[in-house]
PDB file of all heavy atoms in Angstrom:
ATOM      1  N   VAL A   1     -35.301 -50.714 -37.222  1.00 95.00           N
ATOM      2  CA  VAL A   1     -34.249 -49.679 -37.266  1.00 95.00           C
ATOM      3  C   VAL A   1     -33.470 -49.824 -35.977  1.00 95.00           C
ATOM      4  O   VAL A   1     -34.046 -49.820 -34.905  1.00 95.00           O
ATOM      5  CB  VAL A   1     -34.828 -48.284 -37.390  1.00 95.00           C
ATOM      6  CG1 VAL A   1     -33.730 -47.261 -37.476  1.00 95.00           C
ATOM      7  CG2 VAL A   1     -35.764 -48.163 -38.610  1.00 95.00           C
ATOM      8  N   ILE A   2     -32.141 -50.026 -36.082  1.00 96.00           N
ATOM      9  CA  ILE A   2     -31.319 -50.079 -34.934  1.00 96.00           C
ATOM     10  C   ILE A   2     -30.420 -48.887 -34.906  1.00 96.00           C
ATOM     11  O   ILE A   2     -29.631 -48.598 -35.840  1.00 96.00           O
ATOM     12  CB  ILE A   2     -30.442 -51.363 -35.017  1.00 96.00           C
ATOM     13  CG1 ILE A   2     -31.334 -52.639 -35.188  1.00 96.00           C
ATOM     14  CG2 ILE A   2     -29.523 -51.497 -33.850  1.00 96.00           C
ATOM     15  CD1 ILE A   2     -30.586 -53.893 -35.448  1.00 96.00           C
ATOM     16  N   HIS A   3     -30.563 -48.067 -33.850  1.00 97.00           N
ATOM     17  CA  HIS A   3     -29.756 -46.887 -33.658  1.00 97.00           C
ATOM     18  C   HIS A   3     -28.612 -47.242 -32.673  1.00 97.00           C
ATOM     19  O   HIS A   3     -28.899 -47.803 -31.587  1.00 97.00           O
ATOM     20  CB  HIS A   3     -30.567 -45.681 -33.135  1.00 97.00           C
ATOM     21  CG  HIS A   3     -31.504 -45.185 -34.139  1.00 97.00           C
ATOM     22  ND1 HIS A   3     -32.749 -45.679 -34.366  1.00 97.00           N
ATOM     23  CD2 HIS A   3     -31.360 -44.149 -34.962  1.00 97.00           C
ATOM     24  CE1 HIS A   3     -33.384 -44.928 -35.216  1.00 97.00           C
ATOM     25  NE2 HIS A   3     -32.569 -44.027 -35.644  1.00 97.00           N
ATOM     26  N   HIS A   4     -27.436 -46.857 -32.934  1.00 97.00           N
ATOM     27  CA  HIS A   4     -26.352 -47.018 -32.074  1.00 97.00           C
ATOM     28  C   HIS A   4     -25.923 -45.706 -31.515  1.00 97.00           C
ATOM     29  O   HIS A   4     -25.942 -44.694 -32.200  1.00 97.00           O
ATOM     30  CB  HIS A   4     -25.078 -47.572 -32.824  1.00 97.00           C
ATOM     31  CG  HIS A   4     -25.328 -49.002 -33.333  1.00 97.00           C
ATOM     32  ND1 HIS A   4     -24.762 -50.049 -32.784  1.00 97.00           N
ATOM     33  CD2 HIS A   4     -26.051 -49.426 -34.418  1.00 97.00           C
ATOM     34  CE1 HIS A   4     -25.151 -51.187 -33.456  1.00 97.00           C
ATOM     35  NE2 HIS A   4     -25.880 -50.802 -34.439  1.00 97.00           N
ATOM     36  N   PHE A   5     -25.608 -45.691 -30.218  1.00 98.00           N
ATOM     37  CA  PHE A   5     -25.236 -44.457 -29.442  1.00 98.00           C
ATOM     38  C   PHE A   5     -23.971 -44.819 -28.656  1.00 98.00           C
ATOM     39  O   PHE A   5     -23.692 -45.967 -28.382  1.00 98.00           O
ATOM     40  CB  PHE A   5     -26.299 -44.012 -28.487  1.00 98.00           C
ATOM     41  CG  PHE A   5     -27.598 -43.659 -29.196  1.00 98.00           C
ATOM     42  CD1 PHE A   5     -28.531 -44.601 -29.510  1.00 98.00           C
ATOM     43  CD2 PHE A   5     -27.879 -42.329 -29.458  1.00 98.00           C
ATOM     44  CE1 PHE A   5     -29.754 -44.261 -30.176  1.00 98.00           C
ATOM     45  CE2 PHE A   5     -29.071 -41.955 -30.071  1.00 98.00           C
ATOM     46  CZ  PHE A   5     -30.037 -42.928 -30.390  1.00 98.00           C
ATOM     47  N   ASN A   6     -23.300 -43.799 -28.181  1.00 97.00           N
ATOM     48  CA  ASN A   6     -22.113 -44.008 -27.347  1.00 97.00           C
ATOM     49  C   ASN A   6     -22.540 -44.467 -25.877  1.00 97.00           C
ATOM     50  O   ASN A   6     -21.742 -45.118 -25.179  1.00 97.00           O
ATOM     51  CB  ASN A   6     -21.239 -42.785 -27.267  1.00 97.00           C
ATOM     52  CG  ASN A   6     -20.473 -42.626 -28.559  1.00 97.00           C
ATOM     53  OD1 ASN A   6     -20.141 -43.568 -29.272  1.00 97.00           O
ATOM     54  ND2 ASN A   6     -20.230 -41.372 -28.941  1.00 97.00           N
ATOM     55  N   ASP A   7     -23.771 -44.098 -25.450  1.00 97.00           N
ATOM     56  CA  ASP A   7     -24.196 -44.445 -24.165  1.00 97.00           C
ATOM     57  C   ASP A   7     -25.723 -44.486 -24.116  1.00 97.00           C
ATOM     58  O   ASP A   7     -26.386 -43.825 -24.921  1.00 97.00           O
ATOM     59  CB  ASP A   7     -23.587 -43.517 -23.025  1.00 97.00           C
ATOM     60  CG  ASP A   7     -23.902 -42.047 -23.309  1.00 97.00           C
ATOM     61  OD1 ASP A   7     -25.090 -41.706 -23.168  1.00 97.00           O
ATOM     62  OD2 ASP A   7     -22.955 -41.403 -23.689  1.00 97.00           O
ATOM     63  N   VAL A   8     -26.293 -45.153 -23.079  1.00 97.00           N
ATOM     64  CA  VAL A   8     -27.746 -45.245 -22.969  1.00 97.00           C
ATOM     65  C   VAL A   8     -28.380 -43.914 -22.619  1.00 97.00           C
ATOM     66  O   VAL A   8     -29.491 -43.644 -23.099  1.00 97.00           O
ATOM     67  CB  VAL A   8     -28.046 -46.330 -21.887  1.00 97.00           C
ATOM     68  CG1 VAL A   8     -29.545 -46.385 -21.637  1.00 97.00           C
ATOM     69  CG2 VAL A   8     -27.621 -47.673 -22.323  1.00 97.00           C
ATOM     70  N   ALA A   9     -27.689 -43.039 -21.862  1.00 97.00           N
ATOM     71  CA  ALA A   9     -28.345 -41.821 -21.534  1.00 97.00           C
ATOM     72  C   ALA A   9     -28.552 -40.952 -22.797  1.00 97.00           C
ATOM     73  O   ALA A   9     -29.620 -40.338 -22.914  1.00 97.00           O
ATOM     74  CB  ALA A   9     -27.376 -41.028 -20.576  1.00 97.00           C
ATOM     75  N   THR A  10     -27.647 -41.003 -23.767  1.00 97.00           N
ATOM     76  CA  THR A  10     -27.801 -40.235 -24.950  1.00 97.00           C
ATOM     77  C   THR A  10     -29.014 -40.865 -25.761  1.00 97.00           C
ATOM     78  O   THR A  10     -29.774 -40.135 -26.376  1.00 97.00           O
ATOM     79  CB  THR A  10     -26.529 -40.245 -25.809  1.00 97.00           C
ATOM     80  OG1 THR A  10     -25.515 -39.730 -25.004  1.00 97.00           O
ATOM     81  CG2 THR A  10     -26.655 -39.485 -27.109  1.00 97.00           C
ATOM     82  N   ALA A  11     -29.146 -42.187 -25.806  1.00 97.00           N
ATOM     83  CA  ALA A  11     -30.201 -42.906 -26.484  1.00 97.00           C
ATOM     84  C   ALA A  11     -31.529 -42.474 -25.874  1.00 97.00           C
ATOM     85  O   ALA A  11     -32.500 -42.148 -26.591  1.00 97.00           O
ATOM     86  CB  ALA A  11     -29.958 -44.354 -26.456  1.00 97.00           C
ATOM     87  N   ARG A  12     -31.584 -42.465 -24.596  1.00 97.00           N
ATOM     88  CA  ARG A  12     -32.826 -42.141 -23.896  1.00 97.00           C
ATOM     89  C   ARG A  12     -33.267 -40.692 -24.254  1.00 97.00           C
ATOM     90  O   ARG A  12     -34.507 -40.466 -24.492  1.00 97.00           O
ATOM     91  CB  ARG A  12     -32.809 -42.378 -22.390  1.00 97.00           C
ATOM     92  CG  ARG A  12     -32.709 -43.844 -22.062  1.00 97.00           C
ATOM     93  CD  ARG A  12     -32.749 -44.054 -20.528  1.00 97.00           C
ATOM     94  NE  ARG A  12     -32.503 -45.429 -20.234  1.00 97.00           N
ATOM     95  CZ  ARG A  12     -33.424 -46.372 -20.230  1.00 97.00           C
ATOM     96  NH1 ARG A  12     -34.663 -46.128 -20.665  1.00 97.00           N
ATOM     97  NH2 ARG A  12     -33.109 -47.652 -19.890  1.00 97.00           N
ATOM     98  N   ALA A  13     -32.300 -39.788 -24.214  1.00 97.00           N
ATOM     99  CA  ALA A  13     -32.640 -38.370 -24.494  1.00 97.00           C
ATOM    100  C   ALA A  13     -33.138 -38.250 -25.969  1.00 97.00           C
ATOM    101  O   ALA A  13     -34.039 -37.501 -26.224  1.00 97.00           O
ATOM    102  CB  ALA A  13     -31.379 -37.567 -24.303  1.00 97.00           C
ATOM    103  N   PHE A  14     -32.485 -38.982 -26.933  1.00 97.00           N
ATOM    104  CA  PHE A  14     -32.827 -38.904 -28.282  1.00 97.00           C
ATOM    105  C   PHE A  14     -34.328 -39.356 -28.522  1.00 97.00           C
ATOM    106  O   PHE A  14     -35.129 -38.670 -29.139  1.00 97.00           O
ATOM    107  CB  PHE A  14     -31.911 -39.761 -29.148  1.00 97.00           C
ATOM    108  CG  PHE A  14     -32.268 -39.829 -30.598  1.00 97.00           C
ATOM    109  CD1 PHE A  14     -31.964 -38.811 -31.489  1.00 97.00           C
ATOM    110  CD2 PHE A  14     -32.915 -40.938 -31.142  1.00 97.00           C
ATOM    111  CE1 PHE A  14     -32.338 -38.861 -32.794  1.00 97.00           C
ATOM    112  CE2 PHE A  14     -33.215 -41.060 -32.437  1.00 97.00           C
ATOM    113  CZ  PHE A  14     -32.942 -39.992 -33.340  1.00 97.00           C
ATOM    114  N   PHE A  15     -34.685 -40.513 -27.843  1.00 96.00           N
ATOM    115  CA  PHE A  15     -36.033 -41.034 -28.104  1.00 96.00           C
ATOM    116  C   PHE A  15     -37.039 -40.252 -27.292  1.00 96.00           C
ATOM    117  O   PHE A  15     -38.275 -40.441 -27.492  1.00 96.00           O
ATOM    118  CB  PHE A  15     -36.050 -42.534 -27.784  1.00 96.00           C
ATOM    119  CG  PHE A  15     -35.393 -43.284 -28.837  1.00 96.00           C
ATOM    120  CD1 PHE A  15     -34.143 -43.868 -28.695  1.00 96.00           C
ATOM    121  CD2 PHE A  15     -35.995 -43.477 -30.065  1.00 96.00           C
ATOM    122  CE1 PHE A  15     -33.508 -44.539 -29.735  1.00 96.00           C
ATOM    123  CE2 PHE A  15     -35.383 -44.150 -31.086  1.00 96.00           C
ATOM    124  CZ  PHE A  15     -34.133 -44.689 -30.856  1.00 96.00           C
ATOM    125  N   ALA A  16     -36.693 -39.464 -26.351  1.00 96.00           N
ATOM    126  CA  ALA A  16     -37.605 -38.608 -25.567  1.00 96.00           C
ATOM    127  C   ALA A  16     -37.865 -37.296 -26.303  1.00 96.00           C
ATOM    128  O   ALA A  16     -38.782 -36.549 -25.819  1.00 96.00           O
ATOM    129  CB  ALA A  16     -37.073 -38.393 -24.184  1.00 96.00           C
ATOM    130  N   SER A  17     -37.224 -37.034 -27.321  1.00 95.00           N
ATOM    131  CA  SER A  17     -37.302 -35.776 -28.018  1.00 95.00           C
ATOM    132  C   SER A  17     -38.651 -35.592 -28.773  1.00 95.00           C
ATOM    133  O   SER A  17     -39.039 -36.427 -29.533  1.00 95.00           O
ATOM    134  CB  SER A  17     -36.211 -35.585 -29.004  1.00 95.00           C
ATOM    135  OG  SER A  17     -36.459 -34.525 -29.928  1.00 95.00           O
ATOM    136  N   PRO A  18     -39.358 -34.487 -28.518  1.00 93.00           N
ATOM    137  CA  PRO A  18     -40.554 -34.348 -29.240  1.00 93.00           C
ATOM    138  C   PRO A  18     -40.316 -34.069 -30.786  1.00 93.00           C
ATOM    139  O   PRO A  18     -41.161 -34.394 -31.586  1.00 93.00           O
ATOM    140  CB  PRO A  18     -41.205 -32.993 -28.695  1.00 93.00           C
ATOM    141  CG  PRO A  18     -40.296 -32.520 -27.603  1.00 93.00           C
ATOM    142  CD  PRO A  18     -39.114 -33.501 -27.487  1.00 93.00           C
ATOM    143  N   ASP A  19     -39.129 -33.577 -31.119  1.00 93.00           N
ATOM    144  CA  ASP A  19     -38.800 -33.469 -32.435  1.00 93.00           C
ATOM    145  C   ASP A  19     -38.726 -34.827 -33.180  1.00 93.00           C
ATOM    146  O   ASP A  19     -39.152 -34.892 -34.363  1.00 93.00           O
ATOM    147  CB  ASP A  19     -37.405 -32.777 -32.683  1.00 93.00           C
ATOM    148  CG  ASP A  19     -37.398 -31.349 -32.209  1.00 93.00           C
ATOM    149  OD1 ASP A  19     -38.536 -30.671 -32.187  1.00 93.00           O
ATOM    150  OD2 ASP A  19     -36.349 -30.808 -31.862  1.00 93.00           O
ATOM    151  N   LEU A  20     -38.313 -35.875 -32.471  1.00 93.00           N
ATOM    152  CA  LEU A  20     -38.274 -37.185 -33.141  1.00 93.00           C
ATOM    153  C   LEU A  20     -39.677 -37.676 -33.450  1.00 93.00           C
ATOM    154  O   LEU A  20     -39.951 -38.222 -34.465  1.00 93.00           O
ATOM    155  CB  LEU A  20     -37.574 -38.176 -32.222  1.00 93.00           C
ATOM    156  CG  LEU A  20     -37.538 -39.617 -32.711  1.00 93.00           C
ATOM    157  CD1 LEU A  20     -36.838 -39.696 -34.054  1.00 93.00           C
ATOM    158  CD2 LEU A  20     -36.942 -40.545 -31.698  1.00 93.00           C
ATOM    159  N   LYS A  21     -40.577 -37.451 -32.495  1.00 92.00           N
ATOM    160  CA  LYS A  21     -42.019 -37.904 -32.709  1.00 92.00           C
ATOM    161  C   LYS A  21     -42.529 -37.192 -33.948  1.00 92.00           C
ATOM    162  O   LYS A  21     -43.191 -37.774 -34.773  1.00 92.00           O
ATOM    163  CB  LYS A  21     -42.858 -37.587 -31.462  1.00 92.00           C
ATOM    164  CG  LYS A  21     -44.211 -38.096 -31.568  1.00 92.00           C
ATOM    165  CD  LYS A  21     -45.001 -37.930 -30.300  1.00 92.00           C
ATOM    166  CE  LYS A  21     -46.367 -38.584 -30.396  1.00 92.00           C
ATOM    167  NZ  LYS A  21     -47.088 -38.677 -29.195  1.00 92.00           N
ATOM    168  N   ASN A  22     -42.285 -35.898 -34.053  1.00 93.00           N
ATOM    169  CA  ASN A  22     -42.750 -35.147 -35.209  1.00 93.00           C
ATOM    170  C   ASN A  22     -42.158 -35.648 -36.506  1.00 93.00           C
ATOM    171  O   ASN A  22     -42.876 -35.786 -37.487  1.00 93.00           O
ATOM    172  CB  ASN A  22     -42.454 -33.642 -35.054  1.00 93.00           C
ATOM    173  CG  ASN A  22     -43.318 -33.034 -33.956  1.00 93.00           C
ATOM    174  OD1 ASN A  22     -44.374 -33.480 -33.586  1.00 93.00           O
ATOM    175  ND2 ASN A  22     -42.759 -31.892 -33.359  1.00 93.00           N
ATOM    176  N   ALA A  23     -40.854 -35.931 -36.472  1.00 93.00           N
ATOM    177  CA  ALA A  23     -40.155 -36.463 -37.673  1.00 93.00           C
ATOM    178  C   ALA A  23     -40.746 -37.822 -38.055  1.00 93.00           C
ATOM    179  O   ALA A  23     -40.928 -38.100 -39.269  1.00 93.00           O
ATOM    180  CB  ALA A  23     -38.691 -36.592 -37.407  1.00 93.00           C
ATOM    181  N   MET A  24     -41.089 -38.671 -37.091  1.00 92.00           N
ATOM    182  CA  MET A  24     -41.643 -39.970 -37.436  1.00 92.00           C
ATOM    183  C   MET A  24     -43.056 -39.838 -38.027  1.00 92.00           C
ATOM    184  O   MET A  24     -43.366 -40.535 -39.032  1.00 92.00           O
ATOM    185  CB  MET A  24     -41.646 -40.897 -36.225  1.00 92.00           C
ATOM    186  CG  MET A  24     -40.337 -41.386 -35.789  1.00 92.00           C
ATOM    187  SD  MET A  24     -40.263 -42.668 -34.531  1.00 92.00           S
ATOM    188  CE  MET A  24     -41.092 -41.894 -33.169  1.00 92.00           C
ATOM    189  N   GLN A  25     -43.804 -38.904 -37.545  1.00 93.00           N
ATOM    190  CA  GLN A  25     -45.121 -38.673 -38.118  1.00 93.00           C
ATOM    191  C   GLN A  25     -44.997 -38.161 -39.542  1.00 93.00           C
ATOM    192  O   GLN A  25     -45.698 -38.620 -40.414  1.00 93.00           O
ATOM    193  CB  GLN A  25     -45.915 -37.656 -37.280  1.00 93.00           C
ATOM    194  CG  GLN A  25     -46.363 -38.203 -35.963  1.00 93.00           C
ATOM    195  CD  GLN A  25     -47.109 -37.150 -35.094  1.00 93.00           C
ATOM    196  OE1 GLN A  25     -46.936 -35.949 -35.318  1.00 93.00           O
ATOM    197  NE2 GLN A  25     -47.872 -37.673 -34.125  1.00 93.00           N
ATOM    198  N   ARG A  26     -44.058 -37.307 -39.831  1.00 94.00           N
ATOM    199  CA  ARG A  26     -43.882 -36.765 -41.123  1.00 94.00           C
ATOM    200  C   ARG A  26     -43.373 -37.842 -42.119  1.00 94.00           C
ATOM    201  O   ARG A  26     -43.664 -37.814 -43.323  1.00 94.00           O
ATOM    202  CB  ARG A  26     -42.825 -35.639 -41.161  1.00 94.00           C
ATOM    203  CG  ARG A  26     -43.431 -34.321 -40.613  1.00 94.00           C
ATOM    204  CD  ARG A  26     -42.472 -33.105 -40.821  1.00 94.00           C
ATOM    205  NE  ARG A  26     -41.112 -33.338 -40.460  1.00 94.00           N
ATOM    206  CZ  ARG A  26     -40.481 -33.137 -39.279  1.00 94.00           C
ATOM    207  NH1 ARG A  26     -41.293 -32.695 -38.276  1.00 94.00           N
ATOM    208  NH2 ARG A  26     -39.297 -33.339 -39.087  1.00 94.00           N
ATOM    209  N   ALA A  27     -42.640 -38.786 -41.579  1.00 91.00           N
ATOM    210  CA  ALA A  27     -42.106 -39.933 -42.394  1.00 91.00           C
ATOM    211  C   ALA A  27     -43.169 -40.968 -42.602  1.00 91.00           C
ATOM    212  O   ALA A  27     -42.942 -41.923 -43.393  1.00 91.00           O
ATOM    213  CB  ALA A  27     -40.912 -40.556 -41.709  1.00 91.00           C
TER     214      ALA A  27
END
C-alpha cells in the first residue's frame, strides 16, 4: 500500500496515530 501525502511531517503523524493501529487490526 503506497500512501501519498503533501509532506513527510503529515505522513509521520498519520503513521504514529493509535487510531491507525486499531484500524489495521480491525482490517
Side-chain angles (χ1 to χ4, degrees):
V1 180
I2 303 172
H3 288 86
H4 294 256
F5 298 85
N6 288 328
D7 56 72
V8 174
T10 303
R12 290 185 187 282
F14 177 77
F15 287 104
S17 167
D19 292 337
L20 177 63
K21 185 173 184 174
N22 291 335
M24 288 191 300
Q25 287 177 341
R26 288 191 310 272

